[in-house]
Structure formats: structure tokens, C-alpha cells
Amino acid sequence: GTDAYSGYLPQGNFSGFSLMHEQGTGGAPKYGTVSQLPLVGEVTQPLSNITVGRLQPDEAEVGYYKAVTSENVIVELAAADRAGIYRYTFPSEGANNILVDVSHVLPSFRGQGLEQHYDGGEIAISHDGHYEGFGIYNNGWNRAPNWKIYFCKRISADVLEWADRM
């Protein structure tokens, strides 16, 4: 029920992590698209607005962010020139998953017609775990027409080798 202008509030649950944000606009939330949420255990209802809590206060500095979820997953995000880097450290036991939500947007609760909308998209997953696609979104603080974001992700080899041993 609270606007998270750049997609961040220091309290509450995580609905996902996204590298598409803006800050300092003073308007309604914008972006927060192509969200990822690392989860432990079986995910039976991936479209049910899953959230997880935080175990401790988040840490951040320019170009780096770290959080620990209530499922004891360490989430680290870092900025590069033209890309972002995610690193998830999962507990040693349990099924480890990354829920990718192309339809995720940051909600606005102001009632002024400033909320974002998802208008379609695609995601394709390769056998090696690489995925890519696009999402189409509109509205937000500037009442924007449709805009498209392209995305891709590669998973490091050590993670794939670990997954193959499972």
C-alpha cells in the first residue's frame, strides 16, 4: 500500500530484484521490470505474487547492493558499464530456484493513473540456463506510451556444474 519510488523500501518483503530502476524523480514508481526472486524449495504457484522477508538490514554502496532473504539466500547486485551482475548464494540444502517475472512492475497506490502496466512480452530459456526476451510496458509517473525492454542472462559455469551434480 506504499509507493516504493525507485523500487526500494528498507522494510517489508521482497517481491523481486530488478536492475531497471530510476531514482530521484519525485513522481510515482517507474520500472522495476524483469524481476528475479531467488527462492528455496518447491515453487508450486509461480504466478501467485510470492514475496520473501529479509533477515537483516540491507547493505549498499555506489554500484553494489546486498540483502539476505528470510530463506537465507544472500543476494548481491553490482553495476557494470552496460550490464548488471546478480549473485545469489543459496543455502546448501533445499531446491534452489530463480523466479523470473517479465510481467513485474512497480505499483503506484496514489489513485492518479500513474501505475505501470505490462502489455506483453516473451522469454526463451536455453538448455544451458541462458535466457533472453523482452517485455512491453507503459505508463508510470510520466504516463508513457508503450516502451520495450530487452533482457538476457547467462549463468556462470560453476553454478551450472553445481546444478548438474544435483
Side-chain angles (χ1 to χ4, degrees):
T2 299
D3 283 1
Y5 296 99
S6 61
Y8 176 78
L9 290 172
Q11 70 284 349
N13 292 341
F14 297 114
S15 61
F17 298 91
S18 168
L19 297 175
M20 286 298 301
H21 295 266
E22 67 181 359
Q23 181 175 325
T25 63
K30 184 79 171 194
Y31 303 125
T33 53
V34 191
S35 159
Q36 296 185 25
L37 185 61
L39 297 166
V40 176
E42 186 178 346
V43 180
T44 58
Q45 298 290 327
L47 301 178
S48 64
N49 294 318
I50 298 170
T51 62
V52 294
R54 52 175 41 92
L55 279 183
Q56 62 191 44
D58 304 342
E59 299 174 33
E61 59 187 65
V62 174
Y64 176 79
Y65 169 81
K66 179 181 178 183
V68 181
T69 73
S70 59
E71 295 182 335
N72 207 26
V73 177
I74 300 169
V75 176
E76 295 174 281
L77 308 178
D81 283 342
R82 291 181 177 83
I85 301 166
Y86 290 81
R87 180 166 59 183
Y88 302 127
T89 305
F90 288 92
S92 59
E93 295 186 18
N96 301 323
N97 300 283
I98 301 172
L99 178 62
V100 179
D101 185 355
V102 179
S103 68
H104 185 269
V105 295
L106 297 175
S108 179
F109 299 98
R110 294 178 171 199
Q112 298 174 338
L114 301 175
E115 68 280 347
Q116 296 181 109
H117 302 275
Y118 169 71
D119 201 33
E122 291 182 8
I123 186 169
I125 303 170
S126 300
H127 69 281
D128 64 356
H130 162 238
Y131 66 80
E132 58 187 61
F134 67 89
I136 301 170
Y137 312 91
N138 59 48
N139 221 0
W141 62 265
N142 60 342
R143 297 191 170 110
N146 280 0
W147 40 279
K148 187 182 278 191
I149 291 180
Y150 294 91
F151 59 87
C152 66
K153 181 176 181 178
R154 295 206 177 271
I155 298 174
S156 67
D158 59 335
V159 171
L160 291 175
E161 289 172 14
W162 179 82
D164 288 341
R165 291 192 302 256
M166 297 303 289

